[in-house]
Amino acid sequence: MAKLAEEKNLEGSQYQILLSCPFGLSPSQVSVDFSKSHDRVPHPDPDLEDSISQVWEKRTQGNSSLFNGQKFRYGSYSLDGDGGGTNEVPHVCLRLGLTDYRTFVGTNLSSLWEKFLVTSQDDSIRCRHTSSPLGNGAVIETSDKKIIVLRRSNNVGEFPGHYVFPGGHPEPTAVGIDYHQLENNVQTGELLNKKVTQEMFDSIICEVVEETGIPASSLSPPLFIGISRRELNARPAMFFFVKCSHHSDDIPRLYSSAEDGFESTRLHTVSLDELKMMTSRMPGCHHGGYALYELMLQRLNNIKETSVLAKEDDT
């Protein structure tokens, strides 16, 4: 069920679908292995490693808005079951470490970012020297089947003016993580993994509420549909499918009072055809989020067609 694919948008940026879960996974079908073993590995070239602090110092000079917050680092995943008509319930384990914004700026967002990559077909090895913070995004479907898309502000650090799905990052501090603690206590480790898993799902609802103004009570429990990564900067993001009980006509009014509305300049509610046209102006990881949504829709259509054929056979 894990699918690795590469696509190209009209601007030449690429994305990879690292993991496709078109059946949609609930929190009970997702777990996290949070461990220091999934942290970034320092690059053996000391000059390249030193460039991280140099890039950060240059970026922070005269910019007091930047701060070095902790982020979850994406390492890899394991997948059990494929949800393809068997009795086996699919389950994904996300292997996550800890990183920070400083290291992200100095590796993934550095002009030298490609030098941090390793030539390997194994994704966890290829990106072992990058920060790879795990972002998130939500494909939100309104009651009239429109999809919510934001136009990024020109003041943001990444892809100003581009179209994106609402999202951000799950936050280590939300579950009390500031650094790696001793991992010799099995019970403590299991409890922390459960908290981190819940943060994966809680955080995307928080991001949607803050960026769109839609109240959490109007949103369905999110379903995890996969992970994509843009090739530019090797930036990973997990995507969720969420239903909204509001009609698309209600969304602009809610957006006008969004807490983090400053991160975007406009909200759009669009049809699937319109959304497809917008992907050429999406960062690669969000273009990949659209592809994950398409795979989910294809699976739903296949189920409907199979059901119709089965009924016809019974008559």
Side-chain angles (χ1 to χ4, degrees):
M1 189 60 255
K3 294 185 178 180
L4 184 63
E6 191 172 277
E7 300 289 345
K8 198 170 188 178
N9 72 17
L10 297 179
E11 293 188 319
S13 67
Q14 297 176 329
Y15 68 84
Q16 286 184 317
I17 296 177
L18 302 182
L19 171 64
S20 172
C21 305
F23 32 83
L25 300 185
S26 64
S28 64
Q29 295 171 283
V30 179
S31 63
V32 165
D33 174 22
F34 175 68
S35 169
K36 190 175 179 63
S37 63
H38 307 313
D39 282 4
R40 171 184 174 269
V41 176
H43 199 281
D45 182 343
D47 290 335
L48 188 59
E49 191 67 13
D50 287 344
S51 72
I52 296 174
S53 58
Q54 295 168 8
V55 169
W56 178 249
E57 288 174 8
K58 185 176 181 180
R59 284 285 296 271
T60 53
Q61 284 180 355
N63 190 345
S64 59
S65 64
L66 290 179
F67 68 96
N68 187 26
Q70 300 280 9
K71 302 295 177 187
F72 288 109
R73 180 182 186 274
Y74 172 72
S76 61
Y77 71 87
S78 63
L79 176 68
D80 297 321
D82 62 4
T86 68
N87 292 325
E88 186 177 10
V89 178
H91 181 272
V92 167
C93 178
L94 302 177
R95 301 181 182 119
L96 305 180
L98 198 60
T99 187
D100 54 43
Y101 190 67
R102 170 185 174 275
T103 310
F104 173 49
V105 169
T107 58
N108 295 83
L109 295 188
S110 168
S111 60
L112 304 173
W113 69 272
E114 290 177 291
K115 294 184 180 294
F116 284 96
L117 300 178
V118 177
T119 303
S120 174
Q121 294 299 315
D122 187 325
D123 188 67
S124 61
I125 295 176
R126 180 174 181 257
C127 298
R128 68 193 305 176
H129 302 308
T130 62
S131 172
S132 298
L134 183 61
N136 60 21
V139 181
I140 307 167
E141 190 178 89
T142 62
S143 63
D144 54 328
K145 304 298 183 182
K146 296 293 182 69
I147 304 300
I148 295 174
V149 179
L150 298 173
R151 182 76 178 266
R152 284 175 67 80
S153 165
N154 289 323
N155 298 320
V156 295
E158 294 181 79
F159 287 90
H162 282 60
Y163 296 116
V164 294
F165 297 110
H169 296 85
E171 299 291 348
T173 54
V175 289
I177 297 174
D178 294 312
Y179 53 87
H180 281 294
Q181 300 176 5
L182 294 177
E183 299 176 358
N184 55 0
N185 187 318
V186 176
Q187 287 186 330
T188 301
E190 289 179 352
L191 179 59
L192 185 58
N193 283 338
K194 288 180 180 179
K195 287 183 177 180
V196 175
T197 301
Q198 192 59 48
E199 169 61 11
M200 298 296 113
F201 287 83
D202 290 347
S203 61
I204 190 60
I205 293 297
C206 288
E207 295 286 358
V208 169
V209 171
E210 291 173 359
E211 293 192 355
T212 68
I214 300 171
S217 58
S218 302
L219 301 171
S220 70
L223 293 176
F224 175 55
I225 60 173
I227 300 174
S228 74
R229 184 182 62 203
R230 71 172 186 244
E231 283 293 86
L232 178 65
N233 309 127
R235 179 78 152 97
M238 61 193 310
F239 283 88
F240 297 83
F241 173 67
V242 179
K243 286 188 176 182
C244 171
S245 61
H246 286 279
H247 190 280
S248 60
D249 291 343
D250 298 334
I251 307 301
R253 173 181 56 82
L254 297 170
Y255 173 67
S256 65
S257 59
E259 182 179 333
D260 286 352
F262 62 90
E263 294 183 3
S264 59
T265 57
R266 189 175 176 185
L267 179 147
H268 302 265
T269 53
V270 299
S271 67
L272 186 60
D273 288 339
E274 290 171 322
L275 177 61
K276 188 173 184 177
M277 295 294 292
M278 294 171 118
T279 56
S280 63
R281 286 288 294 168
M282 282 184 166
C285 46
H286 283 256
H287 192 170
Y290 164 78
L292 290 168
Y293 176 57
E294 263 199 325
L295 290 170
M296 186 196 80
L297 294 179
Q298 288 172 13
R299 180 179 182 273
L300 291 174
N301 286 334
N302 291 339
I303 291 174
K304 289 179 182 178
E305 290 174 2
T306 301
S307 178
V308 169
L309 290 173
K311 287 180 179 180
E312 290 177 349
D313 289 340
D314 290 339
T315 58

